[in-house]
Amino acid sequence: MSGYPPFDGLAETAAALIVILSAIISLVAAGARWRAVQLGQARAQDLCELTGILDPTVLQDTFGPPDMGRVWRRVTVPEVKAARRPIGHLMSNEAVDWACMAVAALSFLIDHPLMNIALLTALAAQVSSWVLATRVPK
């Protein structure tokens, strides 16, 4: 490992492993949310995380009212993708998660100060997505 600030060998390895695990969990959760949309079983939490719309009233304005079971049955994947905001991409975009995992994996192979910056960026993206996910209505 590089030894360049801000990481030493153990911290760099720990950060890379955290990024990889976080991205895997995010990919699995996002896959389940997209599946709920495809099956017509999307709940507010699913749509909020996929779109980045954190206000339930704005969510209802965007997709219409849910049914009596608080489920949006007629929302389609293209509609959700069209309504996505930058926060939604950060919380549930597969490309972001795969890029973070690639950076973390490359950090094991490449010993360069710029790799530390890239790893810090990937770590920040993963941590911020988890923090934003706490703001999703339950």
Side-chain angles (χ1 to χ4, degrees):
M1 301 287 160
S2 65
Y4 295 104
F7 289 124
D8 63 357
L10 183 59
E12 184 178 1
T13 302
L17 291 175
I18 288 168
V19 167
I20 290 170
L21 290 174
S22 175
I24 289 171
I25 293 168
S26 179
L27 284 169
V28 170
R33 294 189 190 291
W34 283 116
R35 185 76 177 146
V37 171
Q38 290 172 342
L39 295 174
Q41 300 172 348
R43 297 194 169 275
Q45 188 174 8
D46 299 327
L47 293 175
C48 287
E49 190 165 319
L50 291 172
T51 62
I53 299 170
L54 302 178
D55 184 1
T57 57
V58 175
L59 190 69
Q60 189 168 342
D61 291 342
T62 304
F63 296 113
D67 66 8
M68 295 302 286
R70 296 183 184 169
V71 175
W72 278 266
R73 300 203 185 275
R74 291 186 171 90
V75 174
T76 64
V77 171
E79 290 174 331
V80 173
K81 287 185 177 183
R84 283 185 117 179
R85 296 179 177 180
I87 293 173
H89 285 286
L90 185 61
M91 287 192 291
S92 62
N93 190 328
E94 292 179 354
V96 171
D97 291 326
W98 283 109
C100 288
M101 283 196 297
V103 166
L106 284 174
S107 73
F108 291 119
L109 304 173
I110 298 174
D111 186 20
H112 194 275
L114 291 177
M115 185 51 65
N116 286 341
I117 294 169
L119 184 58
L120 271 177
T121 304
L123 184 62
Q126 290 299 313
V127 169
S128 62
S129 72
W130 285 102
V131 170
L132 288 170
T134 64
R135 296 179 52 207
V136 171
K138 302 293 180 223

